[in-house]
Amino acid sequence: MKRMMTRVLMAATLCAAPLGMAQAQVQAQQAAPAQPYYTLDTKIADIFADPNARDVFGAFFRKRGEAAGQPEASPEEQANIAQVIKNFTPRQLATFPQANLDEEGLKTLGEALAKVPAPAATATPAPAAN
């Protein structure tokens, strides 16, 4: 009887250990802050690929341009600029004086981009039936 009780206790302990470890893992994940999907080190091409992130990025620079008294660029100029800067990150872009992006602006842009959720996974369309 004593042996059976010992086996039952050992089995219960072994079963409870993974649960305790799993619970600790879940608590650690909940306690750790979520890493933003978009940061100042994300390539601008990747930011432009997501309409939500592109809108945040564009609105940020429109406001900065307005505050500096700069006229809004034409769509052609915007397309040319996008082509030139797409392989840079916002942090790299800030090294160019033309970007009008100081430390405070860089911080504000980083905070705005961090609020943009990761893009939803796009479903692959089903092949057309013949």
Side-chain angles (χ1 to χ4, degrees):
M1 180 75 149
K2 190 174 181 178
R3 255 189 187 174
M4 183 194 256
M5 191 64 131
T6 303
R7 287 183 184 167
V8 168
L9 287 173
M10 284 177 55
T13 303
L14 291 174
C15 290
L19 290 176
M21 289 179 1
Q23 185 178 18
Q25 195 174 29
V26 167
Q27 288 173 345
Q29 288 173 349
Q30 290 172 347
Q35 293 295 319
Y37 189 80
Y38 296 106
T39 69
L40 295 173
D41 298 311
T42 302
K43 284 204 176 220
I44 293 172
D46 295 334
I47 293 170
F48 286 170
D50 178 356
N52 294 326
R54 182 178 54 236
D55 288 347
V56 167
F57 189 86
F60 172 81
F61 279 100
R62 266 191 306 283
K63 287 179 187 173
R64 287 194 63 90
E66 288 172 8
Q70 297 171 342
E72 188 169 348
S74 70
E76 294 82 20
E77 289 174 315
Q78 289 178 13
N80 288 338
I81 292 168
Q83 218 28 53
V84 170
I85 68 171
K86 70 181 183 180
N87 290 319
F88 291 105
T89 67
R91 192 179 311 279
Q92 292 169 329
L93 188 62
T95 63
F96 296 95
Q98 302 88 335
N100 187 23
L101 196 54
D102 57 8
E103 283 299 317
E104 184 179 325
L106 201 57
K107 180 182 175 196
T108 303
L109 177 59
E111 290 168 353
L113 287 173
K115 293 177 184 175
V116 178
T122 56
T124 306
N130 290 339

